[in-house]
Amino acid sequence: MLNYILRRLIFMVPLLIGITIICFAVIHLAPGSPTDLQTQMNPRASAEVKERLRALYELDKPLHEQYLSWLKKIVVLDLGNSFSPDGRPVADKILERIPITITINALSLGLIIAVALPVGVASAVRRNSLFDKITTVLVFVGFAMPTFWLALLLMILFGIHLGWLPISGIRSLNYEYLPPFSAFADLVKHLILPVFLSAFGGIAGFSRYIRSNMLEVIRQDYITTARAKGLSERTVIYKHALRNALLPVITILGLSVPGLIGGSVIFETIFAIPGMGQLFYMSVMSRDYPVIMGILVIGAVLTLVANLLADVCYALADPRIRVQ
Amino acid sequence: MDFWTRFKKNKLALGGSFIVVLFFVVSIFAPLLSPHDPGEINLQNVLAPPSADNPLGTDELGRDVLSRMVWGSRISLKVGFASTGIAILIGIVLGAVAGYYGGWVDSFIMRAVDIMLCFPTFFLILAVIAFLEPSIWNIMAIIGLTGWMGITRLVRADFISLKEREFVQAARAIGAGDMRIIFIHILPNAMASILVAATFGIAGAILTESALSFLGIGVQPPTPSWGNILTAGKDNIDIAWWLSFFPGLAILLTVLGYNLLGEGIRDSLDPRLRG
């Protein structure tokens, strides 16, 4: 097993290098310079000042030198300083925002599994029943749903018409004065809509996926054997079939991480949640190169780690994988 | 049973085709179908609810929402088709080369696919779009350039299994070159799965474009797109529900249409694949 993990880790190295090269190339080959943004509006900024700014940010050196010096720093998590007026270290800016983004994504992954698993199994077991047909239609709608639109609709319904849920931020204004329990309840209320919405697309995808996996497994000979030897339908489905149907789901969960992280840009912007996605959106708007590169790299590395975890879990769950 | 017989029996696929054709007709005949000029500003009639003159209400500048949506359908279709076209071209070339030649070329291309798949695609798109001018051309290019990985894998897998078949050996025996074998002999056999992937790809590209425009880094006003009408909807969320409701519904229906069509084509091509 250790051997397997080691091999996976070595496999990650070229991917990591590729990721950093792409981030670097994408952002540096694009036209427009961050110094333009700081100097264009300022008539007093002379050509000399622009040059000094370029030298300060090392933009005057050749690309490969810029890349190497950036890479050397990134290994020790020194992502440089933000171009924004506060000029804070990028690593600090990102790290303070990661917990809320990961919390929301972890909660929505949990919600996805909690809903999609029973729904997928039930519609596979009762194939072509009314329940199966209704969920199939819902799944198609879920696939096609622009979730930012659903967010607006739910904001109108629960936030404005019914007034049940807050539609912005993660805390109320009077948060500091609330007793601990109400403070927690306040946080939960703020998180309900974002978590539900970021889980929405995943629920549709997963329940469909689990359904087709179950259908595939139920057809296998060992299921017929289990039935033939007189096991109850319950044991057959939940013990023999479900376990095997769940195996590929582990990989899919790992693969869904980049989608969830990417989606956080939309939800955090809509709901004004101070997470990584919102920081990314603001940095993109102000061409804050170091922050954009930092988040791109961290987002990709988080994905790599999630895939590694998924592979390890798969190997733990399915001994056949380890032998290869 | 052949493809068409099965396709015609598939109710969901027919529904999907109907939606797809409907939106095509709307965007082709946009000048005839829109009741007002989509750019006509009327400050006397700002944020008016749906009425006989403005069936879907007006926006924050008094422009007719229905007319803007009719014209916006052109944007969605253009972006959907162009970006999927780019993704498919890249996917076919890379997938064919990787699958046909194998060896280090294959490993190199597949590592590139792995690397691209590590990125939260939306992050990558946002970053690039923000550095370029957010024009419709750049959006098409970027969505295409970040969406070729799935098709590459698909084409590669098809090529790996097809290149060992007798008809390929026969073609080689009569002296056909690699290019001829790849594009004339193998590729047509892989077209079915590419077509299905393309249909889903269009749906995805339409969703991505609308999300980008919604965030204000896609199609820029005053050009109407479903996404940027929704931005105005968000800004006026407490007073003008129609600004949020109708454009989103149009996105939902269009994407649903392409997904159902893709699903229908797949089931009709090969009923064994049915989910």
Side-chain angles (χ1 to χ4, degrees), chain A residues 15 18-19 22-23 26 30-31 140 144-146 148-149 155-156 211 258 261 265 280-281 284 289 292 295 300 303-304, chain B residues 114-115 118-120 123 126 128 130-132 207 210-211 214-215 230 237 244-245 248-249 251-252 255-256 260 263 275:
Chain A
L15 294 188
I19 287 168
I22 289 186
C23 290
V26 153
F140 275 112
M145 181 67 78
F148 56 94
W149 178 59
M155 279 163 103
I156 294 177
R211 175 181 180 271
I261 296 180
V265 177
F280 189 64
Y281 178 70
V284 159
Y289 282 9
I292 293 176
I295 296 183
T303 308
L304 263 186
Chain B
D114 288 340
I115 290 170
C118 282
F119 284 102
F123 272 25
L126 269 182
V128 179
F131 289 105
L132 306 171
L207 266 182
S210 63
F214 173 70
L215 288 175
L230 273 170
I237 190 171
S244 300
F245 184 72
L249 192 64
I251 301 170
L252 173 66
V255 174
L256 187 65
L260 290 177
E263 197 81 19

Side-chain angles (χ1 to χ4, degrees), chain A residues 160-191:
Chain A
I160 293 163
H161 282 294
L162 298 171
W164 290 352
L165 295 170
I167 57 173
S168 166
I170 52 167
R171 273 159 197 178
S172 299
L173 289 174
N174 59 351
Y175 180 76
E176 285 168 37
Y177 306 105
L178 292 173
F181 181 74
S182 332
F184 181 70
D186 180 61
L187 185 67
V188 170
K189 269 172 113 179
H190 278 88
L191 288 183

